[in-house]
Amino acid sequence: MPAGLVAFVVLAVLAAAILPAAAASPPASRARRAMVVGPEPIAVARALEVLRSGGNAVDAAVTMALVLAVTFPQAGNLGGGGYMLIWKADGKATVIDYRETAPAAATRDMFLDASGRVVPGASLTTYKSSGVPGTIAGLAMALERHGTITWARAVEPAIPLARDGFELPRGLETVLEKQRGSLAAWPASRKIFFAGEMPLQEGSRLVQKDLASTLRLLAREGPGAFYGGRLAHLFAADMKAHDGLITVQDLASYRAVERAPLAGTYRGFQLLTVPPSSAGGVAILESLNMLAPFDLAAMGHNSSAYVHLVCEATRRAFADRSRWLGDPGFVEVPLGGLLSPGYAQARMRTYDPERASPPESVVPGDPLAGESTSTTHFAVLDEAGNVVANTYTLNEWFGNGAVVEGLGILLNNEMDDFAAAPGQANLFGLTGSQANSIAPGKRMLSSMAPTILLERTPEGRMAPKLVIGARGGSAIITSLLQITLDVVDLGMELQEAVNAPRFHHQWLPDRLFVEKGGFSTDVTDALRRRGHDVAERGPKDEVFAILVERHTGWIRGAADARGYGVADGY
Ligand code: DON
């Protein structure tokens, strides 16, 4: 090979390594009337079928959530919880909070040993790590209040997929291998996800017979079968057999809650997002308020000045999250203060464009003294213009790895999202205070944040512009913040924005994470000179987005290149 060509090839390979997904992003999928985006193709196809046969966005979303419980078992679920943000073409918006709750027998110190130290793994790997599942109640509530099809009809497409199985995709093989240990610990899980000693491989059939029976019963008897009927008794018996806490009474007392979305504005767009019990929406709105006075476009996407500014904002927002946020049914969350622009500006008074603020100066703020005057994700946009953005989870991939014997339902390990002890870091390195301590019936704090940006149309009504959501624990907040900036401030193409390398700073640990291979040494060196402790890490999050482009009439959908999701429409 001639020297010139060698140099060219070397450069091309280097460029591909430094600028991974963004440079090579194909354009987002586009459609004229409806769009669905989700983490795997079968569920997206089923949701589109519901839309084509006249169902609305909520019908499609609920159907999709139930299909994902089968086809995306690592996060799609019946045994977890989440949040559904619904925006209707008549302008009304609502949030269904179906986050798990702590069972009645849970106690503040349940994950501590006699000397007050956290027992390693107890909040992640045991039956006690599970909160009372909210998914079935949440989906049923969404359908009953905002859908048009029957519950049985929504459950139906999931049944044959569980009974007859489906071909295991490579992406699922990868996570099965990764979580091999947590699944292998439970015979009921091994029976489903293993062939002999090995997790199932790409191309084999994943059949979930017990889950098919559970779904059939749910279709026939309704969601009550899980919250007091036959399924509840089987669930509670399995809990008891494994030293878990959830009882039939816990299931019977579980309630999904419908809440008003949090609303804010950013550069002329109206933002609707999820209120507590998630901290996600609060942290995104608070960060945007802190960033509003700055010209981010002039700094340049992912330049050191830009990364520094955005992470100085998220450091402050996460400090507040840790101090102030918890289940609003149990603690007073000072939303008015936290979300007021004056408070955000006060928080940024210590911001220095040249230096990372010293850790001792980035402490939680005092929103009580502020101007308290205001207050596996998927998405569907239907032909009438209704939108659903839904994020739900088992916490870790496959939750604690345990399948409930006889039910085929994977158990969440969401109890780890509580602060096991003040200042104790959880799986995502997040710390919390009394506001997020364990108490019976309380919802553990979340970072999930399905979000919709609305714009005023030339006719003067509000209409969806951008619909976003992500997985990734605490990185949900920083990734959705970055997508908002990419689209609103930088005008990036949707797929390019979704695939672009991301960074993350969550206050504690006091470290700025940058995505491996996504940032040049010029940028990371410049950030280190400002005083940041910069560390590379692999991708932690995955974003799903829909963009309505009013001037062209296209609806664009983008699933993250980091996963194996798809966007499709018609
Ligand atoms: O509610 C939360 O914030 C976490 N349990 C979400 C977990 C998550 O996103 C895992 N995804 N990688």
Side-chain angles (χ1 to χ4, degrees):
M1 200 187 282
L5 186 54
V6 171
F8 173 78
V9 170
V10 168
L11 274 178
V13 169
L14 269 179
I18 293 168
L19 304 165
S25 288
S29 297
R30 61 180 200 193
R32 284 292 182 199
R33 290 151 66 189
M35 177 62 74
V36 177
V37 56
E40 72 80 36
I42 300 173
V44 169
R46 294 297 187 277
L48 277 171
E49 281 163 21
V50 174
L51 293 182
R52 284 184 196 278
S53 61
N56 72 10
V58 175
D59 301 331
V62 172
T63 305
M64 187 158 168
L66 291 160
V67 169
L68 285 170
V70 178
T71 59
F72 199 75
Q74 61 266 50
N77 65 80
L78 300 179
Y83 302 88
M84 183 180 284
L85 170 58
I86 303 172
W87 187 87
K88 296 208 229 177
D90 65 6
K92 295 201 178 82
T94 188
V95 170
I96 309 238
D97 174 342
Y98 58 98
R99 182 68 160 167
E100 302 92 324
T101 54
T107 59
R108 194 193 59 186
D109 300 334
M110 64 186 275
F111 297 122
L112 308 184
D113 64 18
S115 56
R117 271 191 292 271
V118 172
V119 180
S123 63
L124 285 169
T125 60
T126 65
Y127 264 53
K128 288 198 173 84
S129 71
S130 300
V132 182
T135 295
I136 294 169
L139 299 179
M141 178 186 268
L143 198 65
E144 192 187 315
R145 297 193 182 175
H146 307 285
T148 68
I149 62 174
T150 61
W151 171 252
R153 167 93 198 284
V155 178
E156 196 272 323
I159 299 172
L161 286 162
R163 184 193 58 218
D164 307 331
F166 62 95
E167 200 175 291
L168 199 122
R170 186 166 159 68
L172 180 47
E173 177 193 278
T174 308
V175 288
L176 277 171
E177 185 52 47
K178 205 160 153 190
Q179 298 303 110
R180 181 184 186 148
S182 68
L183 291 161
W186 313 100
S189 309
R190 267 206 308 272
K191 246 182 358 210
I192 299 167
F193 295 109
F194 279 58
E197 290 307 301
M198 290 289 290
L200 292 181
Q201 310 268 303
E202 177 183 8
S204 52
R205 255 192 129 58
L206 174 56
V207 177
Q208 300 172 83
K209 291 264 185 250
D210 287 342
L211 184 55
S213 312
T214 295
L215 287 162
R216 256 196 316 271
L217 194 80
L218 277 174
R220 214 173 35 239
E221 295 184 9
F226 185 75
Y227 292 101
R230 199 141 70 87
L231 297 174
H233 286 88
L234 285 169
F235 189 99
D238 193 54
M239 271 280 147
K240 200 162 175 196
H242 294 90
D243 211 19
L245 301 182
I246 301 171
T247 62
V248 172
Q249 187 51 45
D250 284 317
L251 291 166
S253 352
Y254 182 85
R255 296 284 176 275
V257 183
E258 196 162 6
R259 304 185 193 274
L262 274 190
T265 54
Y266 184 65
R267 306 220 195 286
F269 293 100
Q270 190 189 8
L271 249 105
L272 294 181
T273 186
V274 167
S277 58
S278 180
V282 177
I284 290 172
L285 286 177
E286 190 185 342
S287 302
L288 287 171
N289 281 342
M290 288 189 245
L291 295 172
F294 296 88
D295 184 350
L296 286 128
M299 293 178 180
H301 179 243
N302 282 0
S303 66
S304 57
Y306 178 96
V307 174
H308 171 64
L309 169 63
V310 175
C311 83
E312 285 297 305
T314 61
R315 287 176 77 193
R316 288 158 173 80
F318 272 93
D320 283 343
R321 176 198 200 277
S322 172
R323 166 68 182 84
W324 297 107
L325 273 284
D327 181 345
F330 287 72
V331 292
E332 192 78 39
V333 180
L335 283 180
L338 288 171
L339 299 180
S340 94
Y343 175 73
Q345 273 146 42
R347 293 291 278 134
M348 285 299 265
R349 238 168 249 147
T350 50
Y351 167 70
D352 176 346
E354 299 307 326
R355 293 293 309 162
S357 300
E360 58 282 5
S361 76
V362 186
V363 292
D366 183 5
L368 301 175
E371 299 172 14
S372 43
T373 49
S374 60
T375 347
T376 197
H377 183 84
F378 59 83
V380 181
L381 189 153
D382 71 17
E383 290 186 47
N386 304 302
V387 176
V388 173
N390 185 89
T391 311
Y392 71 156
T393 186
L394 293 165
N395 195 25
E396 269 187 287
W397 287 136
F398 306 103
N400 63 12
V403 167
V404 179
E405 189 69 57
L407 295 194
I409 295 179
L410 275 155
L411 285 174
N412 71 78
N413 55 2
E414 221 78 65
M415 292 292 282
D416 186 68
D417 277 350
F418 279 118
Q424 174 69 38
N426 76 354
L427 175 68
F428 301 103
L430 291 165
T431 55
S433 64
Q434 189 58 32
N436 189 32
S437 63
I438 305 173
K442 190 174 175 184
R443 284 163 152 80
M444 56 296 280
L445 194 57
S446 174
S447 299
M448 292 188 274
T451 295
I452 301 177
L453 267 77
L454 301 168
E455 66 182 348
R456 195 168 290 286
T457 64
E459 304 80 51
R461 55 184 185 84
M462 297 310 286
K465 167 77 181 167
L466 181 66
V467 183
I468 50 176
R471 69 164 186 87
S474 52
I476 292 171
I477 292 169
T478 47
S479 61
L480 296 184
L481 177 65
Q482 287 169 76
I483 299 298
T484 304
L485 303 177
D486 291 348
V487 173
V488 174
D489 289 73
L490 303 161
M492 282 165 75
E493 196 276 332
L494 189 68
Q495 189 72 55
E496 187 192 355
V498 165
N499 290 358
R502 287 191 279 271
F503 53 92
H504 175 76
H505 199 314
Q506 60 177 47
W507 181 49
L508 294 177
D510 186 15
R511 183 160 302 143
L512 167 54
F513 293 100
V514 294
E515 199 168 334
K516 226 189 187 106
F519 292 79
S520 70
T521 39
D522 281 357
V523 170
T524 51
D525 285 351
L527 288 163
R528 288 197 175 97
R529 279 196 300 277
R530 282 182 169 85
H532 290 287
D533 176 10
V534 181
E536 280 202 327
R537 70 177 189 187
K540 284 277 178 224
D541 51 294
E542 190 179 343
V543 169
F544 301 89
I546 296 177
L547 180 82
V548 182
E549 222 172 62
R550 233 153 289 280
H551 64 288
T552 61
W554 288 113
I555 305 165
R556 304 201 186 268
D560 204 313
R562 293 163 183 82
Y564 60 102
V566 293
D568 198 4
Y570 61 90

